Amino acid sequence: EIVMTQSPVTLSVSPGERATLSCRASQSVSSNLAWYQQKPGQAPRLLIYGASTRAAGIPARFSGSGSGTEFTLTITSLQSEDAAIYYCQECYHWPPTYTFGQGTKVEIK
Amino acid sequence: EVQLVESGGGLVQPGGSLRLTCAASGFSFRSFNMNWVRQAPGKGLEWLAHISRNSDVIFHADSVKGRFTISRDNAKNSLYLQMNSLRDEDTAVYYCAKGTVATRPVFDFWGQGALVTVSS
């Protein structure tokens, strides 16, 4: 069973600053890693897939990196509308398990 | 515009059954795999089930295997989740999610969710 661990649990960042979120897989998932953003009362939204490819319509301030077991989501120049919970998800295993991390909450200072 | 609209949620007693429907529009429903994901109150996301374009490949998470069944009707652009033997811990918002066309698909569009409450 694969476990996805995100850190930190909560991140407080000032507007205009950089936010760096981490996701670690308990075993290699190659580059098969996605990031989602979920705002209160809303459905998740796909941000990044393939570890580093932005989904359609996602602003360039969101970027993903990593492979294997260590991944990073970076939000440069944080905006107030970026306050949300961010989840990583592995999409490597088949049959699928689509395991999500527990989420990182990004707060605006 | 891609739209996914879940319906069929509500209050059900433990041991009861419920069937969720996800109505799809704005894309060629028959061309994409689909999934169900749930989120318990204040908790994270949990994938539940996957169904391929023509229903020939179906997977369920271990947590719901034998109790929940995913299905689809491409003629009606609809995805279903039949939930039987419901437990308190099945209380959650249930989302349908469209899969991408990829060897390892991700979920590029989500519905707004249907709340299922299991309680006596």
Side-chain angles (χ1 to χ4, degrees), chain A residues 2-17:
Chain A
I2 188 167
V3 177
M4 307 298 292
T5 303
Q6 293 185 239
S7 61
V9 172
T10 304
L11 187 60
S12 186
V13 181
S14 299
E17 297 297 305

PDB file of all heavy atoms in Angstrom, chain A residues 2-17:
ATOM      1  N   ILE A   2       0.619   2.123  -0.939  1.00  0.00           N
ATOM      2  CA  ILE A   2       1.403   3.345  -1.026  1.00  0.00           C
ATOM      3  C   ILE A   2       0.826   4.406  -0.104  1.00  0.00           C
ATOM      4  O   ILE A   2      -0.385   4.530   0.037  1.00  0.00           O
ATOM      5  CB  ILE A   2       1.465   3.848  -2.476  1.00  0.00           C
ATOM      6  CG1 ILE A   2       2.451   5.004  -2.602  1.00  0.00           C
ATOM      7  CG2 ILE A   2       0.091   4.264  -2.970  1.00  0.00           C
ATOM      8  CD1 ILE A   2       2.797   5.338  -4.032  1.00  0.00           C
ATOM      9  N   VAL A   3       1.697   5.148   0.538  1.00  0.00           N
ATOM     10  CA  VAL A   3       1.288   6.239   1.426  1.00  0.00           C
ATOM     11  C   VAL A   3       1.874   7.540   0.890  1.00  0.00           C
ATOM     12  O   VAL A   3       3.063   7.605   0.574  1.00  0.00           O
ATOM     13  CB  VAL A   3       1.765   5.995   2.865  1.00  0.00           C
ATOM     14  CG1 VAL A   3       1.394   7.179   3.754  1.00  0.00           C
ATOM     15  CG2 VAL A   3       1.163   4.708   3.421  1.00  0.00           C
ATOM     16  N   MET A   4       1.035   8.556   0.792  1.00  0.00           N
ATOM     17  CA  MET A   4       1.459   9.880   0.342  1.00  0.00           C
ATOM     18  C   MET A   4       1.436  10.809   1.551  1.00  0.00           C
ATOM     19  O   MET A   4       0.399  10.961   2.203  1.00  0.00           O
ATOM     20  CB  MET A   4       0.520  10.409  -0.748  1.00  0.00           C
ATOM     21  CG  MET A   4       0.326   9.466  -1.920  1.00  0.00           C
ATOM     22  SD  MET A   4       1.841   9.124  -2.820  1.00  0.00           S
ATOM     23  CE  MET A   4       2.164  10.726  -3.562  1.00  0.00           C
ATOM     24  N   THR A   5       2.570  11.419   1.850  1.00  0.00           N
ATOM     25  CA  THR A   5       2.693  12.273   3.029  1.00  0.00           C
ATOM     26  C   THR A   5       3.020  13.695   2.603  1.00  0.00           C
ATOM     27  O   THR A   5       4.019  13.930   1.939  1.00  0.00           O
ATOM     28  CB  THR A   5       3.794  11.754   3.968  1.00  0.00           C
ATOM     29  OG1 THR A   5       3.506  10.392   4.328  1.00  0.00           O
ATOM     30  CG2 THR A   5       3.863  12.596   5.223  1.00  0.00           C
ATOM     31  N   GLN A   6       2.162  14.621   3.012  1.00  0.00           N
ATOM     32  CA  GLN A   6       2.371  16.027   2.650  1.00  0.00           C
ATOM     33  C   GLN A   6       2.873  16.821   3.857  1.00  0.00           C
ATOM     34  O   GLN A   6       2.511  16.548   4.995  1.00  0.00           O
ATOM     35  CB  GLN A   6       1.069  16.647   2.141  1.00  0.00           C
ATOM     36  CG  GLN A   6       0.613  16.058   0.816  1.00  0.00           C
ATOM     37  CD  GLN A   6      -0.603  16.771   0.266  1.00  0.00           C
ATOM     38  OE1 GLN A   6      -1.650  16.164   0.037  1.00  0.00           O
ATOM     39  NE2 GLN A   6      -0.473  18.073   0.006  1.00  0.00           N
ATOM     40  N   SER A   7       3.697  17.807   3.567  1.00  0.00           N
ATOM     41  CA  SER A   7       4.184  18.708   4.604  1.00  0.00           C
ATOM     42  C   SER A   7       4.381  20.105   4.037  1.00  0.00           C
ATOM     43  O   SER A   7       4.645  20.263   2.840  1.00  0.00           O
ATOM     44  CB  SER A   7       5.504  18.189   5.193  1.00  0.00           C
ATOM     45  OG  SER A   7       6.500  18.122   4.183  1.00  0.00           O
ATOM     46  N   PRO A   8       4.205  21.136   4.901  1.00  0.00           N
ATOM     47  CA  PRO A   8       3.671  21.029   6.255  1.00  0.00           C
ATOM     48  C   PRO A   8       2.167  20.804   6.233  1.00  0.00           C
ATOM     49  O   PRO A   8       1.563  20.809   5.162  1.00  0.00           O
ATOM     50  CB  PRO A   8       4.024  22.398   6.843  1.00  0.00           C
ATOM     51  CG  PRO A   8       3.933  23.327   5.668  1.00  0.00           C
ATOM     52  CD  PRO A   8       4.447  22.538   4.487  1.00  0.00           C
ATOM     53  N   VAL A   9       1.578  20.658   7.403  1.00  0.00           N
ATOM     54  CA  VAL A   9       0.123  20.519   7.481  1.00  0.00           C
ATOM     55  C   VAL A   9      -0.532  21.856   7.154  1.00  0.00           C
ATOM     56  O   VAL A   9      -1.529  21.926   6.435  1.00  0.00           O
ATOM     57  CB  VAL A   9      -0.299  20.045   8.886  1.00  0.00           C
ATOM     58  CG1 VAL A   9      -1.815  20.084   9.037  1.00  0.00           C
ATOM     59  CG2 VAL A   9       0.234  18.639   9.142  1.00  0.00           C
ATOM     60  N   THR A  10       0.032  22.926   7.693  1.00  0.00           N
ATOM     61  CA  THR A  10      -0.454  24.286   7.447  1.00  0.00           C
ATOM     62  C   THR A  10       0.716  25.185   7.104  1.00  0.00           C
ATOM     63  O   THR A  10       1.803  25.049   7.679  1.00  0.00           O
ATOM     64  CB  THR A  10      -1.192  24.841   8.683  1.00  0.00           C
ATOM     65  OG1 THR A  10      -2.243  23.952   9.049  1.00  0.00           O
ATOM     66  CG2 THR A  10      -1.791  26.210   8.377  1.00  0.00           C
ATOM     67  N   LEU A  11       0.499  26.073   6.148  1.00  0.00           N
ATOM     68  CA  LEU A  11       1.535  26.999   5.704  1.00  0.00           C
ATOM     69  C   LEU A  11       0.915  28.392   5.671  1.00  0.00           C
ATOM     70  O   LEU A  11      -0.103  28.610   5.013  1.00  0.00           O
ATOM     71  CB  LEU A  11       2.021  26.585   4.321  1.00  0.00           C
ATOM     72  CG  LEU A  11       3.218  27.290   3.708  1.00  0.00           C
ATOM     73  CD1 LEU A  11       4.446  27.112   4.584  1.00  0.00           C
ATOM     74  CD2 LEU A  11       3.482  26.745   2.310  1.00  0.00           C
ATOM     75  N   SER A  12       1.531  29.333   6.378  1.00  0.00           N
ATOM     76  CA  SER A  12       1.049  30.705   6.409  1.00  0.00           C
ATOM     77  C   SER A  12       2.046  31.590   5.669  1.00  0.00           C
ATOM     78  O   SER A  12       3.216  31.667   6.055  1.00  0.00           O
ATOM     79  CB  SER A  12       0.884  31.176   7.859  1.00  0.00           C
ATOM     80  OG  SER A  12       0.295  32.443   7.918  1.00  0.00           O
ATOM     81  N   VAL A  13       1.585  32.235   4.619  1.00  0.00           N
ATOM     82  CA  VAL A  13       2.471  32.991   3.735  1.00  0.00           C
ATOM     83  C   VAL A  13       1.872  34.364   3.456  1.00  0.00           C
ATOM     84  O   VAL A  13       0.650  34.495   3.291  1.00  0.00           O
ATOM     85  CB  VAL A  13       2.683  32.228   2.403  1.00  0.00           C
ATOM     86  CG1 VAL A  13       3.630  32.990   1.480  1.00  0.00           C
ATOM     87  CG2 VAL A  13       3.218  30.826   2.667  1.00  0.00           C
ATOM     88  N   SER A  14       2.727  35.355   3.382  1.00  0.00           N
ATOM     89  CA  SER A  14       2.269  36.721   3.079  1.00  0.00           C
ATOM     90  C   SER A  14       2.002  36.866   1.586  1.00  0.00           C
ATOM     91  O   SER A  14       2.668  36.207   0.765  1.00  0.00           O
ATOM     92  CB  SER A  14       3.314  37.738   3.504  1.00  0.00           C
ATOM     93  OG  SER A  14       3.557  37.668   4.891  1.00  0.00           O
ATOM     94  N   PRO A  15       1.063  37.726   1.225  1.00  0.00           N
ATOM     95  CA  PRO A  15       0.814  37.967  -0.204  1.00  0.00           C
ATOM     96  C   PRO A  15       2.089  38.409  -0.914  1.00  0.00           C
ATOM     97  O   PRO A  15       2.881  39.196  -0.379  1.00  0.00           O
ATOM     98  CB  PRO A  15      -0.230  39.093  -0.192  1.00  0.00           C
ATOM     99  CG  PRO A  15      -0.912  38.950   1.117  1.00  0.00           C
ATOM    100  CD  PRO A  15       0.144  38.482   2.086  1.00  0.00           C
ATOM    101  N   GLY A  16       2.307  37.865  -2.097  1.00  0.00           N
ATOM    102  CA  GLY A  16       3.492  38.197  -2.866  1.00  0.00           C
ATOM    103  C   GLY A  16       4.694  37.319  -2.569  1.00  0.00           C
ATOM    104  O   GLY A  16       5.677  37.332  -3.323  1.00  0.00           O
ATOM    105  N   GLU A  17       4.618  36.547  -1.479  1.00  0.00           N
ATOM    106  CA  GLU A  17       5.727  35.667  -1.131  1.00  0.00           C
ATOM    107  C   GLU A  17       5.555  34.307  -1.805  1.00  0.00           C
ATOM    108  O   GLU A  17       4.542  34.014  -2.434  1.00  0.00           O
ATOM    109  CB  GLU A  17       5.809  35.493   0.390  1.00  0.00           C
ATOM    110  CG  GLU A  17       6.108  36.784   1.150  1.00  0.00           C
ATOM    111  CD  GLU A  17       7.483  37.335   0.770  1.00  0.00           C
ATOM    112  OE1 GLU A  17       8.473  36.588   0.882  1.00  0.00           O
ATOM    113  OE2 GLU A  17       7.547  38.521   0.342  1.00  0.00           O
TER     114      GLU A  17
END
